[in-house]
Amino acid sequence: MPMPMPAPESPLEALLAASGDLAFHLSGTGAVTYAAGLDTAAGFGPAGSAVQSFFELFAPEDQSTVREAFDEAIGASKRVPLNVALRPEFTTRFRWLLSGYDAGARRGVMAVGHQIPDEEATTTDPGMHDVLTGLPNRLLLQDRCEQAIELGNRQGSSFALLLLNLKGFNKVNEAFGVRAGDELLRQVAKRLLSHVRSSDTVARIGPDEFALLMPDMADPETMLKLGRQLLALTEKAFILEDTEVHVSASMGFSLYPAHGLSHEALLQGATAALKDAKDAGGSRCSMFNNAPRPDARAQLTLESALHQGVTNGELYLHYQPLVDIEGQIYGAEALMRWNRGGTVPVSPAEFIPVAEECGLIQLLGNWALKAATAGFARINREKNMALTISVNVSPRQFRGANFLQTVADALAFSGLPPHLLQLEITEGILMTDPEAAARLLAKITEIGVQVAVDDFGTGYSSLAYLKRFALSSLKIDRSFVKDLPAPKDLAICRSVFSLSHELGLKSVAEGVETQEQWHILRDAGCDAIQGYFFGKPQSLSDFEALVDAQALPQMKAA
Ligand code: C2E
Ligand code: MG
Ligand code: MG
């Protein structure tokens, strides 16, 4: 039975009247046992005063969402936000907060409705909404995010901010026209909305970028799982003009309060996570990684020191022997070295990514290619040998407009026969834009140059690319070699070697440090070896001396 309303002049009523808010006490079944603010809440009128059950306030299609929030509030005795519009006859919009309690016989929910100002509630407000999809835009998302932070500060609640970037949207625009592109975005928006709770906000914040704000989300695992579901949803075929169209997506998210306490920090975190997902090849969902990132200022200093280093000639190449399975040298890999300020060695693992980021890699990579081919052409001439030189190629260098020409120039300039040049690329290069990579690799192979996949096994699980691209070798990563004869590593090595043979590729093992590893690899079917056991990266003259002496461990061991 509804409880009598308090006199309008009671302090609670006066407060609620001033704020335009509403408060209900509801039984465990949702019956209204107490209500305050009803007669003053704008747009509520007599229809609202007669309400017996909280659920009556909402349209039939929203009943399940409301019940879910209601049950969740009672079940977990916690505060659950609810952002569902009331039935159309109630003109005011409220953002609800349901606080449940369950003490055996006494179960119930306190429902507080906070009035949403008109300008924010109008879904067609173009200032706050994306005209194409009708979704909230960046501004409204920020506002909601700030409100969620406020709520979090007061009540200790959490939430997630996820960014989703579509890949392939531009291709759809180009192939089918802008109208089809628009339709694709609307369909993506619809799919996202259909999957999330109504208390979540789905926003469109860029031409091919969406954002999701998800209240009460604190668990990284749950969020990653949800991310994978959203990914699957986005990557399911779309039908545009009777044609099946596929796009893919990358996602990154941050959690409040774990990853930041302001909208700006959370957005930065989600953006960094999105970048991680893209860098890892896309089609995945990444969480913001709190691990300290290289500080941007230090990065900049390193970048300018690297520029300086290039000018001052602080960079040079070392050469690490490549040996056949019997231990005979057949070539070397060129590895870049930098002595910062002429004295302090900096690892390539540290400066190559910086060079990649700032674009210097084009210059450095092309220089390495020219210097290495020139050096080996000379050695081969002088020694009447046919040693192979293997040169690493970075993603940016590979994608650069003139890469093929640079390779051809290096060969022409040095006079090295093309089949004695090998380019080492990583799996990531192949997967970023497979069609373009396949075309370029075909041309590289056409001029006779060999291509090896470096660090094989650390990138992607898809092996489909092995048959698709023109390749000559697989260099199995050091991580599978270093613990040999560990049975699992051995099993991986064996399958990579037999896969290589089946596909007509040469298999090379990196990071061989002991005779035992060498012999195990030989018995497992590996074709060639590289590692400290046969020679560290060294100067060209030391490498030449090693070739002359063939002072190799297999001779000592024999
Ligand atoms: P990578 O191409 O996989 O080169 C092999 C790395 O393993 C080298 O590290 C080499 O010194 C190291 N290594 C070889 N044998 C052993 C061993 O037995 N034990 C151990 N612990 N390590 C071994 P480095 O010289 O530090 O180079 C690291 C990475 O930097 C290279 O990995 C490559 O990805 C990149 N890099 C080096 N030079 C160039 C270059 O000229 N251009 C580009 N784009 N990347 C380069
Ligand atoms: Mg390499
Ligand atoms: Mg490698």
Side-chain angles (χ1 to χ4, degrees):
M1 204 179 83
M3 292 211 350
M5 303 252 180
E9 62 273 16
S10 85
L12 176 60
E13 273 293 287
L15 274 175
L16 288 166
S19 64
D21 290 352
L22 283 172
F24 287 106
H25 178 258
L26 310 169
S27 74
T29 57
V32 175
T33 54
Y34 174 81
L38 275 187
D39 45 358
T40 46
F44 233 77
S49 310
V51 163
Q52 302 272 320
S53 157
F54 184 60
F55 299 112
E56 287 171 31
L57 294 170
F58 300 91
E61 63 269 25
D62 289 323
Q63 288 296 320
S64 61
T65 312
V66 179
R67 273 188 194 276
E68 220 172 78
F70 183 88
D71 292 344
E72 195 185 343
I74 292 196
S77 291
K78 63 173 188 175
R79 295 187 175 92
V80 176
L82 175 68
N83 196 5
V84 172
L86 299 180
R87 284 198 331 249
E89 60 263 41
F90 302 114
T91 50
T92 310
R93 277 204 66 159
F94 293 88
R95 189 170 290 124
W96 296 93
L97 201 63
L98 310 182
S99 311
Y101 62 90
D102 186 0
R106 292 179 56 243
R107 308 169 77 233
V109 168
M110 311 286 292
V112 176
H114 176 57
Q115 193 172 330
I116 305 174
D118 277 350
E119 62 280 12
E120 199 187 311
T122 350
T123 49
T124 49
D125 173 4
M128 290 296 224
H129 287 82
D130 167 45
V131 180
L132 182 69
T133 56
L135 294 177
N137 63 12
R138 192 179 275 278
L139 269 180
L140 186 47
L141 176 77
Q142 173 170 353
D143 190 54
R144 298 242 169 113
C145 192
E146 278 160 1
Q147 281 177 21
I149 290 171
E150 226 170 81
L151 203 68
N153 282 341
R154 269 189 277 127
Q155 296 166 357
S157 53
S158 55
F159 67 90
L161 178 66
L162 177 138
L163 301 182
L164 181 155
N165 186 271
L166 282 186
K167 191 175 162 209
F169 169 64
N170 284 337
K171 281 193 181 158
V172 170
N173 258 346
E174 278 164 26
F176 295 88
V178 179
R179 272 193 23 216
D182 288 354
E183 177 55 25
L184 172 72
L185 291 171
R186 274 193 288 266
Q187 288 192 27
V188 171
K190 211 165 153 196
R191 281 191 193 175
L192 294 176
L193 281 171
S194 73
H195 195 78
V196 301
R197 296 169 301 177
S198 58
S199 53
D200 299 341
T201 297
V202 179
R204 180 169 171 237
I205 58 170
D208 49 6
E209 197 153 299
F210 293 83
L212 279 78
L213 182 80
M214 320 191 107
D216 276 320
M217 180 64 81
D219 178 38
E221 281 309 313
T222 312
M223 195 56 208
L224 282 167
K225 198 169 143 209
L226 181 69
R228 284 193 290 272
Q229 289 167 355
L230 292 172
L231 197 66
L233 208 67
T234 321
E235 297 191 343
K236 243 175 37 194
F238 290 91
I239 306 293
L240 295 176
E241 296 174 1
D242 295 333
T243 311
E244 258 195 23
V245 170
H246 291 264
V247 291
S248 67
S250 294
M251 291 178 212
F253 67 89
S254 58
L255 298 170
Y256 170 92
H259 299 150
L261 299 176
S262 67
H263 167 253
E264 199 186 12
L266 292 164
L267 193 63
Q268 260 176 19
T271 308
L274 177 63
K275 182 172 183 304
D276 287 347
K278 285 185 187 171
D279 289 349
S283 214
R284 64 189 66 210
C285 178
S286 299
M287 182 172 72
F288 173 58
N289 182 358
N290 292 40
R293 287 168 181 262
D295 141 21
R297 211 171 287 171
Q299 186 91 352
L300 213 61
T301 319
L302 193 64
E303 191 182 308
S304 73
L306 188 57
H307 271 102
Q308 199 66 46
V310 172
T311 320
N312 295 346
E314 293 166 7
L315 286 108
Y316 54 98
L317 292 176
H318 264 175
Y319 297 86
Q320 184 175 31
L322 288 164
V323 303
D324 67 22
I325 203 61
E326 297 308 325
Q328 197 70 28
I329 298 180
Y330 70 89
E333 174 175 3
L335 292 160
M336 214 178 280
R337 294 290 175 262
W338 175 29
N339 284 347
R340 186 174 174 174
T343 49
V344 188
V346 184
S347 157
E350 205 178 324
F351 74 81
I352 296 281
V354 173
E356 175 84 15
E357 192 101 341
C358 71
L360 255 188
I361 196 70
Q362 304 259 22
L363 182 91
L364 288 175
N366 295 351
W367 157 73
L369 198 57
K370 283 205 172 114
T373 46
F376 269 61
R378 177 185 60 74
I379 296 180
N380 283 340
R381 250 191 333 266
E382 288 175 6
K383 298 186 196 307
N384 193 24
M385 292 182 80
L387 295 168
T388 296
I389 178 65
S390 200
V391 182
N392 292 286
V393 176
S394 84
R396 192 154 172 176
Q397 197 187 352
F398 185 82
R399 284 195 289 270
N402 298 320
F403 182 62
L404 188 66
Q405 192 56 47
T406 312
V407 174
D409 287 350
L411 291 170
F413 177 75
S414 62
L416 186 81
H419 72 278
L420 297 182
L421 172 62
Q422 173 171 270
L423 301 175
E424 295 195 7
I425 59 175
T426 50
E427 292 164 82
I429 289 187
L430 300 176
M431 301 318 291
T432 314
D433 186 352
E435 283 99 41
R439 280 197 299 275
L440 186 51
L441 288 177
K443 286 185 190 147
I444 289 171
T445 315
E446 222 168 80
I447 58 174
V449 171
Q450 304 185 58
V451 179
V453 179
D454 203 356
D455 307 335
F456 182 73
T458 57
Y460 293 83
S461 49
S462 160
L463 294 175
Y465 68 82
L466 289 179
K467 63 168 189 186
R468 191 158 161 201
F469 299 111
L471 302 168
S472 43
S473 318
L474 297 184
K475 294 186 78 173
I476 187 166
D477 191 65
R478 192 170 80 83
S479 53
F480 303 109
V481 171
K482 70 179 181 16
D483 297 325
L484 285 176
K488 285 186 180 163
D489 288 318
L490 184 56
I492 293 174
C493 285
R494 280 209 183 102
S495 15
V496 170
F497 302 151
S498 89
L499 183 72
S500 305
H501 291 160
E502 294 292 329
L503 294 166
L505 304 173
K506 179 170 173 169
S507 53
V508 185
E510 295 185 289
V512 176
E513 294 185 354
T514 66
Q515 186 167 37
E516 188 194 8
Q517 289 170 344
W518 167 29
H519 288 169
I520 290 169
L521 288 161
R522 185 185 59 193
D523 298 342
C526 183
D527 299 317
I529 303 281
Q530 179 180 358
Y532 293 172
F533 184 64
F534 292 98
K536 290 198 168 179
Q538 51 199 283
S539 69
L540 192 58
S541 54
D542 286 350
F543 174 74
E544 283 188 69
L546 191 68
V547 172
D548 288 341
Q550 280 284 309
L552 288 168
Q554 115 272 1
M555 297 191 172
K556 287 182 228 147

